Amino acid sequence: MDLKGIGGIWPASLTPFDRAGAIDDAALHAHVAELAGTNGVRAVVVNGHAGETASLTRTERAHVIGAAKAATGGKAGVVAGIVADDTPGAVALARDAAQAGADALLLFPPALFAQGANARPEMASRFVAEVAQAAGLPIVLFQLSLTSGLGFSNEVLLRLCRENESIIAIKEGSDTPQAYEDNLAALRALDRRVTVLTTNNSWLMASLAYGGDGILSGIGSVASPILAEIFEAMARGDLDAARRANARLRPLCRAFYRAPHLDAHNRMKTALHLLGKLPNPDPRAPLLPIETEERAAIAQALASAGLMPGRAAAA
């Protein structure tokens, strides 16, 4: 599927495991199929942070891509996360993704980039170019938060897009309105279209108001219909409808994205378990299952969002 120029909702999927810790193929198929069949979803992202990719072997990552490709049934694209701390490792994963049927790659910067990639932009340029050449697939470049040290400067981000025609989109998570707005304006000034997908999870609606093309986020694994409502309302200029949908999303954002942040996607698994959509909510070690008290808070957030069966959304 050609994802060039495509916005809308791109949920980052979770990776279900059974009680023994193996990938639960039936649950994975059901999860991805539901996401792909949701109105407004244009692509499903696998093997990202939401999918606990760091805990997956290389073979398992390829397996997840193939399983997702089968589950979407052509209704949505499949984007494979490439998370590696060295170029050869990223190249190998990119080739695996292409062979498994991915439509595009979500390329994460290696952790060592936090030590000064913006001061050595040629390092980032070579990394992106080698991965792109190896896979021959379009690339969604992950712009992480500036506070993480892994976010590219505005100048480096533009350089990467100018040098690599394979970059079709940016997963924009700078996490400050000023940086996001500056990046958006600069990307719009390029001589080709680069899709901007916001992942600024504490202000998704606001980032769409700046002019973003869509949302790529792990919260889409639970709330893609609400994300689609917000996106579609903003696209048609219906601010009141967008605000109503955002009011439903807010309790979920507050429940998922809080300290300790390493549990964010673990909480989303718990949410799907509470909704009867995931047989086993447990992550792979070293992550730990969510405790009873927090499960209750997640259930309340689902009720407030109108997602819990038999319960109405909070006013």
Side-chain angles (χ1 to χ4, degrees), residues 244-301:
R244 288 193 297 271
N246 192 62
R248 295 172 58 208
L249 183 70
R250 185 172 61 249
L252 295 175
C253 287
R254 300 299 182 265
F256 297 152
Y257 298 111
R258 63 186 187 83
H261 294 286
L262 57 80
D263 275 333
H265 303 112
N266 193 5
R267 294 170 181 132
M268 294 172 196
K269 278 190 163 182
T270 295
L272 290 185
H273 179 69
L274 289 168
L275 292 172
K277 297 180 179 182
L278 201 66
N280 174 38
D282 294 350
R284 270 188 177 168
L287 290 173
L288 297 173
I290 297 301
E291 299 290 344
T292 301
E293 183 177 344
E294 189 170 12
R295 284 175 60 88
I298 293 170
Q300 181 56 54

Side-chain angles (χ1 to χ4, degrees), residues 10-308:
W10 297 33
S13 63
L14 308 174
T15 304
F17 302 114
D18 62 24
R19 293 294 180 183
I23 293 174
D24 184 335
D25 283 328
L28 176 61
H29 187 281
H31 175 52
V32 174
E34 180 180 24
L35 295 178
T38 301
N39 288 336
V41 168
R42 309 304 296 275
V44 177
V45 180
V46 300
N47 293 345
H49 289 152
E52 298 177 59
T53 194
S55 74
L56 302 181
T57 67
R58 180 176 166 184
T59 299
E60 286 176 324
R61 295 188 203 194
H63 175 78
V64 167
I65 297 166
K69 190 71 174 178
T72 60
K75 294 179 180 178
V78 174
V79 181
I82 303 299
V83 182
D85 284 333
D86 65 307
T87 300
V91 163
L93 290 173
R95 287 175 175 155
D96 290 348
Q99 292 172 3
D103 297 298
L105 308 176
L106 173 60
L107 185 57
F108 290 64
L112 61 83
F113 277 21
Q115 300 178 37
N118 286 317
R120 294 290 302 276
E122 65 276 12
M123 181 172 64
S125 292
R126 292 181 184 179
F127 174 71
V128 174
E130 289 189 38
V131 172
Q133 183 177 14
L137 289 175
I139 287 177
V140 180
L141 187 64
F142 196 166
Q143 167 72 357
L144 279 95
S145 71
L146 298 181
T147 55
S148 72
L150 290 168
F152 299 112
S153 68
N154 183 269
E155 294 76 17
V156 172
L157 186 64
L158 290 180
R159 171 175 171 169
L160 293 174
C161 290
R162 290 191 182 106
E163 292 178 349
N164 296 278
E165 292 283 331
S166 58
I167 297 176
I168 62 166
I170 304 295
K171 180 183 178 183
E172 218 301 340
S174 294
D175 211 26
T176 70
Q178 180 177 336
Y180 174 81
E181 188 175 16
D182 288 349
N183 287 340
L184 182 60
L187 291 166
R188 289 288 188 261
L190 292 173
D191 59 6
R192 65 185 182 90
R193 182 73 170 187
V194 175
T195 301
V196 178
L197 302 166
T198 179
T199 189
N200 296 289
N201 291 303
S202 60
W203 45 288
L204 290 171
M205 176 182 161
S207 55
L208 289 177
Y210 282 114
D213 299 304
I215 298 171
L216 194 169
S217 175
I219 201 170
S221 64
V222 177
S224 277
I226 300 177
L227 297 184
E229 283 185 44
I230 296 171
F231 174 76
E232 291 163 7
M234 293 298 291
R236 66 177 184 267
D238 190 343
L239 190 57
D240 287 341
R243 284 172 173 161
R244 288 193 297 271
N246 192 62
R248 295 172 58 208
L249 183 70
R250 185 172 61 249
L252 295 175
C253 287
R254 300 299 182 265
F256 297 152
Y257 298 111
R258 63 186 187 83
H261 294 286
L262 57 80
D263 275 333
H265 303 112
N266 193 5
R267 294 170 181 132
M268 294 172 196
K269 278 190 163 182
T270 295
L272 290 185
H273 179 69
L274 289 168
L275 292 172
K277 297 180 179 182
L278 201 66
N280 174 38
D282 294 350
R284 270 188 177 168
L287 290 173
L288 297 173
I290 297 301
E291 299 290 344
T292 301
E293 183 177 344
E294 189 170 12
R295 284 175 60 88
I298 293 170
Q300 181 56 54
L302 290 168
S304 296
L307 298 180
M308 206 68 164

